[in-house]
Amino acid sequence: MAFMSIRMCPATHMTRFRIGIAGICVVLTLSGCSEQPRKGPPTEQEIHAGDSGDASGTRGRHPYRCEDNRPLLVDFKDEGLALELRRDANAAPIVLTAPAPGLQYVGDTMSATFSGSEIKIEEADKHPVLCRKATSL
């Protein structure tokens, strides 16, 4: 009897089949639009962009002490792709950016490179300055 219903109404059976195929295509297409998984573990700069290392609680802010014994506040921004450097919390920041995580940060007249818990700052016509991460300033 079921065989007869298929033969008598082939258009209905074919329409249901086409709707089913269309539904599967939509699901597969939408699943391709989901967020891509991370390619690897986050860089130290990406981690620091989300936490705070000083008493102010400012997100992404970490204190450093330079070899000339001067303090340096480093604010990690934009998921670690930008830095704001300042000598104290009230000073205007110097903004440096990196094209990708783990690369050198550059600005108009300054660049900065991280190596572990140290940051090396280079300015035009000046000697490089090495600063180490401090627990607090």
Side-chain angles (χ1 to χ4, degrees):
M1 186 73 132
F3 179 73
M4 287 183 72
S5 67
I6 291 174
R7 290 188 75 208
M8 296 182 115
C9 299
T12 303
H13 177 68
M14 195 53 100
T15 301
R16 287 183 184 158
F17 178 74
R18 287 182 181 157
I19 290 172
I21 292 295
I24 290 171
C25 290
V26 168
V27 169
L28 291 175
T29 301
L30 291 176
S31 68
C33 295
S34 63
E35 184 177 335
Q36 298 296 320
R38 292 188 66 87
K39 298 280 188 260
T43 64
E44 188 164 332
Q45 289 80 15
E46 289 173 314
I47 292 169
H48 291 319
D51 63 8
S52 178
D54 77 341
S56 74
T58 302
R59 187 174 177 187
R61 178 168 288 175
H62 292 272
Y64 283 75
R65 178 71 60 185
C66 299
E67 58 193 5
D68 60 3
N69 205 31
R70 292 174 48 193
L72 177 70
L73 291 174
V74 178
D75 293 344
F76 293 88
K77 304 286 184 178
D78 191 23
E79 296 181 6
L81 295 178
L83 294 180
E84 290 182 358
L85 304 177
R86 58 185 97 219
R87 288 295 177 181
D88 66 61
N90 298 322
I94 297 170
V95 179
L96 307 176
T97 58
L103 297 180
Q104 182 181 35
Y105 293 86
V106 294
D108 292 335
T109 62
M110 182 184 292
S111 68
T113 309
F114 283 91
S115 178
S117 63
E118 297 179 336
I119 181 173
K120 182 180 179 182
I121 299 171
E122 298 179 86
E123 289 186 76
D125 301 325
K126 294 185 180 179
H127 291 289
V129 177
L130 187 65
C131 305
R132 289 186 177 80
K133 193 170 181 182
T135 54
S136 64
L137 293 178

